[in-house]
Amino acid sequence: MEYIKIEDTSCRLWKETEQIMSESFPIHELRTGKTRDRVAQDPAFYPVAVRKNEETAAAIYSWELNGLIYIEHFAVRKDMRGRGTGSNALKGFISGREILLEIESPVDEIKIKRLNFYQRLGFVRTGISFMHPSFVKDAAPYPLEVLTYPERISPEGFHAFRREFDERICLYTDKKNIRMTGITGIEL
């Protein structure tokens, strides 16, 4: 696997990763238009095209936040799923790093499979959940559960992440004054 940081939103790799993301996530979980282009200019934003056999196989959109890597979106091209591509792509990316990501609560078969996928890679459930603000206008916040790697995040670590999330990541939306709400599973 080859990991290529995307530096230019007009390049072919950006278009390929955006296609993978749009096929993998509902619109209310993605940035659109100008906010998508603006976020790519933030030095903490780290969009990666994961290449396998000279093809873009997966996309990882993450943030480098004070030593913590927040994986905002991870997706594998539909025709490459179920063959170890996602596991291999993520293993190489997370190795030696502290990682935080969120998933939907595992309440149905697909969501349970997603949790099991991350747990096989060493992610742990933190017991922390919150309402994630939608990045697009007229869409409601949605509940997510926090997973971390290689171990459970400390309360101080989560609070530092929350500040970065509210003060930096939430700047790049179609809405004003949004933030993480409804936090449970940790002292506030």
Side-chain angles (χ1 to χ4, degrees):
M1 298 268 171
E2 180 183 10
Y3 301 84
I4 302 171
K5 182 175 190 284
I6 302 168
E7 304 284 350
D8 180 4
T9 59
S10 66
C11 77
R12 178 180 51 86
L13 289 178
W14 177 257
K15 290 174 178 58
E16 290 173 1
T17 60
E18 281 292 295
Q19 181 66 35
I20 292 169
M21 293 300 185
S22 69
E23 292 173 355
S24 303
F25 288 93
I27 189 69
H28 72 272
E29 293 184 19
L30 297 171
R31 289 182 179 85
T32 58
K34 292 177 184 174
T35 57
R36 180 184 56 221
D37 295 336
R38 279 187 21 243
V39 75
Q41 305 308 312
D42 190 303
F45 184 67
Y46 199 85
V48 170
V50 182
R51 307 275 291 168
K52 178 180 179 182
N53 300 326
E54 299 187 27
E55 291 184 280
T56 300
I60 304 171
Y61 290 179
S62 67
W63 293 80
E64 295 183 354
L65 306 169
N66 301 316
L68 176 73
I69 306 299
Y70 165 51
I71 297 178
E72 185 172 70
H73 293 98
F74 168 65
V76 176
R77 210 170 79 190
K78 281 187 177 184
D79 63 331
M80 294 188 163
R81 293 179 187 163
R83 296 187 267 163
T85 302
S87 295
N88 291 329
L90 211 48
K91 277 182 203 172
F93 186 79
I94 67 175
S95 181
R97 298 169 149 183
E98 283 186 53
I99 308 286
L100 182 145
L101 57 78
E102 314 112 336
I103 62 169
E104 295 169 295
S105 293
V107 294
D108 62 34
E109 185 178 347
I110 279 258
K111 293 170 185 149
I112 291 168
K113 283 182 179 181
R114 189 173 298 131
L115 172 62
N116 291 337
F117 167 80
Y118 287 116
Q119 288 181 316
R120 280 192 304 275
L121 293 172
F123 283 85
V124 295
R125 292 177 90 172
T126 63
I128 303 168
S129 60
F130 67 95
M131 295 300 290
H132 192 293
S134 173
F135 293 143
V136 296
K137 204 171 192 166
D138 300 325
Y142 49 96
L144 293 177
E145 178 180 319
V146 176
L147 303 180
T148 55
Y149 172 92
E151 57 193 26
R152 188 180 196 281
I153 194 168
S154 69
E156 299 79 21
F158 181 77
H159 291 303
F161 164 71
R162 179 186 178 195
R163 276 189 303 280
E164 289 281 345
F165 184 92
D166 287 346
E167 294 170 10
R168 184 177 209 146
I169 294 169
C170 287
L171 291 176
Y172 302 103
T173 71
D174 293 337
K175 298 177 174 185
K176 292 189 183 330
N177 303 317
I178 65 167
R179 57 186 351 113
M180 183 186 299
T181 59
I183 301 165
T184 62
I186 195 162
E187 287 290 320
L188 296 179

